[in-house]
Amino acid sequence: MHIDVMTVPQPLTQIGGVAQRTQAAGFSGLLFTETGRTAYLNAAVASQAAPGLELSTGVAVAFPRSPFVTAAEAWELQEATGGNFRLGLGTQVRTHVVRRYGVPFERPGPRLRDYVLAVKACFSAFRTGTLDHHGEFYDLDFITPQWSAGPIDAPDPKVDVAAVNPWMLRMAGEVADGVHVHPLGELGYLKRHVLPNIAAGAEKAGRSPADIAVIVPAMTIVGDSDEELHSQRETVRVSMAFYGSTPNYAFIWDEAGFEGTTARIREKQKAGDLAGMAAQISDEHIAAFATESTWDGLADALTRKYGGIATRVALYNALGDDERFERYGEVARRLRQ
């Protein structure tokens, strides 16, 4: 099992150091989830600071960038990492895409499917000089040597997609190389939805489900004292409230036995009550959706939960003080053996 560190992009003057620390600590890779800073520029700096470290966008927002631009960025990063880059793409939600990025959001699932195929067509074009993709949303058929990145001495980058609902999971199994599971992906959801829908999509395309990477972010609560565990638990509580406020994810709470959680969080959110949002996440929520352990028991706890399911586990809250980061790294080294 590969263990990655999940981070939001950092100032470019800082991310090189983060990448070096991540590699030295023993993690497999560094995963950038795009926020106000771009994942691609962070990955570029990290590739030069820590050669050999596996890098991925997890996820970069797709629709504001043309498939060709995204493919070109991924291609350069694959070359810079010597074949250790994964392109993770997501739709984001309507408000962000329309009101922040100013681009269309109609039928995001089918649009993302076409986007992935268009990106892969661009990869082929960089090698062959022929671009020929005609989909429902994207038509790409013009490339010249001047505007092609050209062949690289590495395989095409893997293209992963963020998927939550069954349709998106089946689509990922059909056309993508991996799935970024949502941070609220508790074990029951993984077994009920993620694995069977990926398998159904792969079967439709004549592929093996084993060829589709399952990338799972894990919220962890780790410590050897009650004080340490309490502090980590409260941090996770806030994170879960943030993710749990999105209506599209409500069914995950409901199926896990916590019906109405999203509605209660959104009521507090609309009132501007951040503390009230976190208060809707009970200790029972946390027990179901996070992994709590002592330091000595964390490797076994992650193996019990994700063994046979996850290809890669991205530790959601590993970055922090140096001592905790090093201890997470020790766990990562144990699980890579």
Side-chain angles (χ1 to χ4, degrees), residues 19 42 61 92 107 127 132 176 188 246 289:
N42 262 233
V61 182
Q92 247 295 351
R107 302 180 63 218
R127 295 194 188 278
D132 186 24
T246 302
F289 284 82

Side-chain angles (χ1 to χ4, degrees), residues 63 106-115 136-138 167-168 171:
F63 303 149
E106 288 74 19
R107 302 180 63 218
R111 183 183 290 269
L112 186 61
R113 181 185 188 278
D114 193 21
Y115 194 103
E136 183 179 359
F137 298 91
Y138 301 100
W167 190 96
M168 290 285 279
M171 179 272 284

Side-chain angles (χ1 to χ4, degrees), residues 114-177:
D114 193 21
Y115 194 103
V116 169
L117 294 174
V119 166
K120 291 190 172 189
C122 292
F123 292 161
S124 177
F126 298 153
R127 295 194 188 278
T128 67
T130 300
L131 179 57
D132 186 24
H133 174 80
H134 301 282
E136 183 179 359
F137 298 91
Y138 301 100
D139 280 296
L140 309 174
D141 59 9
F142 179 77
I143 191 169
T144 65
Q146 180 182 6
W147 299 107
S148 172
I152 59 174
D153 189 21
D156 293 1
K158 299 294 186 183
V159 183
D160 310 316
V161 298
V164 175
N165 67 47
W167 190 96
M168 290 285 279
L169 290 163
R170 289 192 297 272
M171 179 272 284
E174 181 186 357
V175 305
D177 300 301

Side-chain angles (χ1 to χ4, degrees), residues 5 17-18 20-22 24-27 228 232 295 317-330 333:
V5 173
V18 173
Q20 290 168 344
R21 285 178 58 212
T22 299
F27 294 96
E228 193 175 10
Q232 293 296 306
W295 283 109
N317 48 347
L319 278 173
D321 67 72
D322 290 344
E323 181 181 355
R324 290 185 63 85
F325 189 73
E326 293 296 330
R327 298 191 77 171
Y328 273 119
E330 292 172 8
R333 286 195 295 271

Side-chain angles (χ1 to χ4, degrees), residues 34 38-40 60-70 73 115 138:
E34 196 162 65
T38 65
Y40 297 108
V61 182
F63 303 149
R65 301 178 175 97
S66 82
F68 191 97
V69 169
T70 292
E73 290 173 328
Y115 194 103
Y138 301 100

Side-chain angles (χ1 to χ4, degrees), residues 3 7 10 18 23 53 56 102 113 140 143 148 164 166-167 177 208 217 228 242 244 250 262 271 315:
I3 305 296
T7 183
Q10 307 290 319
V18 173
Q23 187 174 50
L53 185 65
S56 57
R113 181 185 188 278
L140 309 174
I143 191 169
S148 172
V164 175
W167 190 96
D177 300 301
S208 169
E228 193 175 10
F242 166 74
T262 295
L315 295 181

Side-chain angles (χ1 to χ4, degrees), residues 26-325:
F27 294 96
S28 298
L30 191 58
L31 182 150
F32 299 99
T33 180
E34 196 162 65
T35 52
R37 297 176 183 267
T38 65
Y40 297 108
L41 285 175
N42 262 233
V45 173
S47 74
Q48 303 306 291
L53 185 65
E54 298 173 23
L55 304 173
S56 57
T57 56
V59 293
V61 182
F63 303 149
R65 301 178 175 97
S66 82
F68 191 97
V69 169
T70 292
E73 290 173 328
W75 197 251
E76 291 187 69
L77 287 167
Q78 181 75 331
E79 182 179 40
T81 60
N84 285 320
F85 176 73
R86 299 187 74 101
L87 173 63
L89 297 170
T91 65
Q92 247 295 351
V93 296
R94 180 181 298 276
T95 298
H96 282 277
V97 172
V98 175
R99 296 176 57 191
R100 181 156 66 97
Y101 290 111
V103 294
F105 193 70
E106 288 74 19
R107 302 180 63 218
R111 183 183 290 269
L112 186 61
R113 181 185 188 278
D114 193 21
Y115 194 103
V116 169
L117 294 174
V119 166
K120 291 190 172 189
C122 292
F123 292 161
S124 177
F126 298 153
R127 295 194 188 278
T128 67
T130 300
L131 179 57
D132 186 24
H133 174 80
H134 301 282
E136 183 179 359
F137 298 91
Y138 301 100
D139 280 296
L140 309 174
D141 59 9
F142 179 77
I143 191 169
T144 65
Q146 180 182 6
W147 299 107
S148 172
I152 59 174
D153 189 21
D156 293 1
K158 299 294 186 183
V159 183
D160 310 316
V161 298
V164 175
N165 67 47
W167 190 96
M168 290 285 279
L169 290 163
R170 289 192 297 272
M171 179 272 284
E174 181 186 357
V175 305
D177 300 301
V179 172
H180 284 273
V181 176
H182 191 270
L184 293 182
E186 54 90 31
L187 192 58
Y189 165 75
L190 296 175
K191 293 179 177 178
R192 285 189 303 271
H193 292 290
V194 173
L195 296 184
N197 281 297
I198 289 174
E203 182 179 359
K204 180 180 178 181
R207 308 167 72 194
S208 169
D211 294 335
I212 316 301
V214 180
I215 304 161
V216 181
M219 294 188 188
T220 51
I221 300 164
V222 192
D224 293 326
S225 69
D226 289 343
E227 181 181 6
E228 193 175 10
L229 290 170
H230 174 75
S231 173
Q232 293 296 306
R233 202 176 294 123
E234 295 313 302
T235 299
V236 166
R237 197 184 310 275
V238 172
S239 296
M240 285 188 179
F242 166 74
Y243 285 113
S245 66
T246 302
N248 288 351
Y249 311 147
F251 78 96
I252 301 177
W253 295 119
D254 294 345
E255 290 185 0
F258 303 101
E259 293 185 12
T261 296
T262 295
R264 292 192 293 272
I265 293 173
R266 287 180 65 80
E267 181 180 353
K268 300 297 183 181
Q269 185 182 47
K270 291 175 182 177
D273 183 1
L274 299 181
M277 290 173 63
Q280 305 313 306
I281 305 299
S282 67
D283 288 347
E284 288 73 22
H285 284 88
I286 293 173
F289 284 82
T291 300
E292 182 167 329
S293 173
T294 61
W295 283 109
D296 287 344
L298 181 58
D300 289 340
L302 291 172
T303 299
R304 284 194 302 272
K305 179 174 283 190
Y306 298 118
I309 294 177
T311 309
R312 310 186 75 94
V313 171
L315 295 181
Y316 184 88
N317 48 347
L319 278 173
D321 67 72
D322 290 344
E323 181 181 355
R324 290 185 63 85
F325 189 73

